[in-house]
Amino acid sequence: MKVLGIESSCDETGVALVEVLGAGVPRLLGEALHSQVRMHEAYGGVVPELASRDHVRRVLPLAEAALSEAGLALADIDLVAFTRGPGLAGALLVGAGVACGLAAALNRPTLGVHHLEGHLLSPFLSADPPEFPFVALLVSGGHTQLMRVNGVGRYELLGETIDDAAGEAFDKSAKLLGLGYPGGPALARLAETGRPDAFELPRPLLHQPHLDFSFAGLKTAVMTAVKKLGPHPTDIQRADLAASTQAAIVEVLVRKSLRALEQAGLERLVVAGGVGANTVLRASLNAACARRGVRVHYPELRLCTDNGAMIALAAAMRCQAGLATSRRDHRFDVRPRWDLADAGWG
Ligand code: KG4
Ligand code: ZN
């Protein structure tokens, strides 16, 4: 079965083709991606209306590019999948509308996919795919969650952020440091030359036994530190503050992930979502997990941030698992807010 996946929940338009044969490992046949980062840069963040309009412009040429990479024609597609939520309503509607229009023209079924399920399953396209069950650390711009994943569609929420997401903490701190959008990679770059212990920043909820996160206090502490540095901080001071901020976020994510593994009695960890691209997070998790005999799985670096491959993959794996939620009437809705733990959708 060949699945076309369309991602348009935020500022990336992604289209990809994934194939599954029986119970075999899913294979990525072709993919194309356009990032709107340059367009939103001038505004310091994503402008939803601009995002929607750009998705409209990009999605069909990207579909053609993905098909051509795969050496396939539209008629070869068996199922059209799209991101149903969560995300920006207008942006989601573009992907959903195009997916359902295409499916109607081809007389194929459609399947609306949960964006976080896409992130969560994305390591299954890597050279070292995980086995169920595992603990997943989902760290993106809008979400920070620890889940126990028992199988496709069987997700148990273990803990989540009570305020800002980890990606948001990166983005907001980066803004305070005068860095551009998206802040995560920019802050990580600045941090490369800084000392992670130069500033004493809070590790909120670190010593609580539960698995929830809180990053809003960290942002306030970074704001206070920036004010103390005055209007003309040196490059060294900025790099030190960036490195200290990154260290605080990473320490909380690593410690809570280990606690989740312990509490769940599992020895496999999957890290997914944009912040999963962070090299310091990867290095710290690898070291901490190696000490405990825990295996860590990541998606390929380019599949950490939003893309169409993870949407096609999640749809393919849902079909493989017999979770038949595809529909043939070509009607659709989007769910800008949608809980993954509430994944028993129809
Ligand atoms: O998963 P994603 O592409 O989009 C959402 O679904 O939110 O994640 C985007 C988030 C942004 O907050 C971005 O700053 C962060 O991931 N991010 C990073 C890195 N690359 C992306 N944060 C830290 N270090 C990175 N290398
Ligand atoms: Zn995402």
Side-chain angles (χ1 to χ4, degrees):
M1 183 177 70
K2 296 181 185 72
V3 182
L4 181 84
I6 299 179
E7 154 65 28
S8 71
S9 66
C10 189
D11 58 349
E12 256 105 24
T13 327
V15 184
L17 278 144
V18 164
E19 182 177 39
V20 280
L21 296 170
V25 180
R27 231 163 39 98
L28 181 59
L29 302 178
E31 63 168 322
L33 184 75
H34 175 78
S35 167
Q36 302 177 353
V37 160
R38 285 238 184 86
M39 186 179 77
H40 297 294
E41 229 167 18
Y43 305 92
V46 178
V47 183
E49 182 59 26
L50 291 182
S52 311
R53 286 167 189 250
D54 202 58
H55 287 309
V56 172
R57 273 195 295 273
R58 307 285 176 186
V59 64
L60 286 176
L62 287 170
E64 276 167 18
L67 279 164
S68 130
E69 190 192 339
L72 295 173
L74 278 172
D76 296 319
I77 297 168
D78 299 302
L79 171 72
V80 185
F82 59 94
T83 306
R84 186 179 174 202
L88 301 170
L92 289 167
L93 280 169
V94 175
V98 168
C100 294
L102 209 53
L106 297 169
N107 192 23
R108 298 289 191 276
T110 59
L111 180 53
V113 170
H114 195 293
H115 180 82
L116 292 183
E117 182 170 43
H119 276 303
L120 193 69
L121 299 177
S122 58
F124 282 93
L125 282 176
S126 71
D128 177 30
E131 275 170 39
F132 296 114
F134 54 78
V135 166
L137 171 68
L138 272 179
V139 271
S140 70
H143 293 84
T144 300
Q145 297 185 330
L146 279 162
M147 321 265 320
R148 183 191 165 102
V149 178
N150 296 312
V152 178
R154 293 165 58 208
Y155 313 123
E156 241 174 81
L157 183 67
L158 302 174
E160 65 183 333
T161 183
I162 57 169
D163 42 53
D164 291 350
E168 238 175 322
F170 269 104
D171 294 339
K172 288 180 176 173
S173 305
K175 209 168 199 170
L176 290 166
L177 280 160
L179 299 169
Y181 155 88
L187 189 140
R189 253 192 318 277
L190 179 61
E192 278 169 18
T193 53
R195 289 172 301 143
D197 56 354
F199 288 80
E200 217 172 287
L201 296 173
R203 270 80 168 145
L205 305 187
L206 187 61
H207 299 294
Q208 305 285 328
H210 59 69
L211 297 169
D212 287 339
F213 302 88
S214 164
F215 290 108
L218 176 63
K219 175 195 63 194
T220 311
V222 172
M223 192 189 301
T224 309
V226 167
K227 276 189 190 146
K228 266 196 197 147
L229 289 178
H232 305 295
T234 64
D235 287 349
I236 292 175
Q237 286 171 323
R238 291 174 71 240
D240 280 349
L241 186 50
S244 303
T245 306
Q246 178 172 256
I249 299 171
V250 166
E251 185 180 346
V252 174
L253 294 177
V254 171
R255 296 272 288 271
K256 293 262 171 179
S257 298
L258 293 176
R259 193 170 300 155
L261 285 158
E262 239 166 65
Q263 289 183 11
L266 295 176
E267 288 176 350
R268 248 189 305 271
L269 179 69
V270 159
V271 184
V275 180
N278 186 276
T279 46
V280 173
L281 175 64
R282 285 186 176 219
S284 311
L285 274 174
N286 288 346
C289 288
R291 280 196 295 274
R292 287 170 174 75
V294 169
R295 291 205 55 193
V296 200
H297 298 262
Y298 303 94
E300 283 178 35
L301 212 50
R302 71 197 164 80
L303 296 186
C304 270
T305 43
D306 295 347
N307 62 84
M310 67 185 197
I311 301 305
L313 171 77
M317 289 184 73
R318 281 210 150 237
C319 292
Q320 249 183 341
L323 301 171
T325 52
S326 63
R327 53 198 289 179
R328 293 199 159 264
D329 58 6
H330 306 120
R331 296 164 69 94
F332 62 89
D333 62 356
V334 295
R335 302 191 60 176
R337 286 170 170 274
W338 192 10
D339 229 357
L340 178 58
D342 158 38
W345 60 87

